[in-house]
């Protein structure tokens, strides 16, 4: 029997070889908790109905284009007050509907009704959006027409145009 042999746990190589799998397990447990505790906001539950509704959405975009509408969004510095300047409306709607759509988290989407404060100017309060970039939608209260635009949060405003222009 060899009297110079040491116990395996006193050797460095078993610990070096086990450190890789241990690091994977240590990183995998919080990742698995995070994956199971959050929802996947990218997949809509009613994706089929949304697919069928695309024709109605295209028709609303076409209606805004036919009416010659365009708009500009202006936000307060705190991003809690929205002002929309609507141009091209021969018969201005009584209120506008502003939708802020988060790119990946549907739970942060919001919809605000804007009231007129002057001819072609609509205002309303909103919760300060978090994140880098949002998709915006603007329509009349009855949803007869629609315009959309992109809004990087670090900028103070955005422009709306009917799709396809």
């Amino acid at each position: 029997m060899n009297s110079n042999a040491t116990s395996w746990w006193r050797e460095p190589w078993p610990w070096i070889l086990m450190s890789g799998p241990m690091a994977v397990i240590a990183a995998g447990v919080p990742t698995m908790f995070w994956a199971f505790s959050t929802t996947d906001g990218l997949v809509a539950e009613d994706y089929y109905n949304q697919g069928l509704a695309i024709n109605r959405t295209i028709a609303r975009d076409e209606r805004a284009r036919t009416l010659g509408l365009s708009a500009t969004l202006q936000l307060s510095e705190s991003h809690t007050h929205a002002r929309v300047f609507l141009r091209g409306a021969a018969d201005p709607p009584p209120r506008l509907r502003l939708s802020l759509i988060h790119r990946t988290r549907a739970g942060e989407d919001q919809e605000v009704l804007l009231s007129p404060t002057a001819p072609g100017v609509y205002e309303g309060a909103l919760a300060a959006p978090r994140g880098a970039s949002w998709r915006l939608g603007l329509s009349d209260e009855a949803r007869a027409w629609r315009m959309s635009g992109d809004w990087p949060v670090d900028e103070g405003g955005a422009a709306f145009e009917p799709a396809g222009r």
Side-chain angles (χ1 to χ4, degrees):
M1 189 133 224
N2 188 356
S3 62
N4 291 338
T6 59
S7 301
W8 70 270
W9 61 86
R10 295 185 184 193
E11 295 292 327
W13 283 110
W15 296 107
I16 291 171
L17 292 173
M18 286 188 288
S19 66
M22 280 190 227
V24 169
I25 291 170
V29 169
T31 303
M32 189 169 55
F33 172 77
W34 176 70
F36 287 128
S37 66
T38 59
T39 60
D40 186 4
L42 296 177
V43 179
E45 290 182 20
D46 62 341
Y47 65 91
Y48 182 74
N49 291 333
Q50 288 182 11
L52 293 176
I54 192 69
N55 291 335
R56 288 190 301 271
T57 302
I58 292 170
R60 289 173 51 209
D61 290 340
E62 183 61 36
R63 174 88 173 128
R65 188 176 15 268
T66 301
L67 292 172
L69 298 175
S70 65
T72 304
L73 170 69
Q74 197 177 61
L75 292 164
S76 62
E77 284 189 37
S78 61
H79 296 151
T80 57
H81 187 80
R83 179 179 292 149
V84 171
F85 299 93
L86 181 65
R87 291 176 301 281
D91 184 24
R95 296 199 316 181
L96 292 179
R97 188 180 303 270
L98 175 66
S99 302
L100 284 84
I101 302 142
H102 194 278
R103 298 278 184 191
T104 57
R105 294 186 181 140
E108 296 198 21
D109 294 354
Q110 49 181 308
E111 191 168 276
V112 180
L113 286 176
L114 306 174
S115 300
T117 57
V121 180
Y122 296 81
E123 295 185 14
L126 55 109
R130 299 177 305 155
S133 181
W134 291 74
R135 185 80 182 144
L136 301 174
L138 184 68
S139 66
D140 61 334
E141 194 172 12
R143 293 189 166 129
W145 53 263
R146 183 189 82 141
M147 293 185 288
S148 59
D150 292 316
W151 173 50
V153 171
D154 56 352
E155 295 181 12
F160 293 93
E161 296 290 333
R165 252 195 193 177

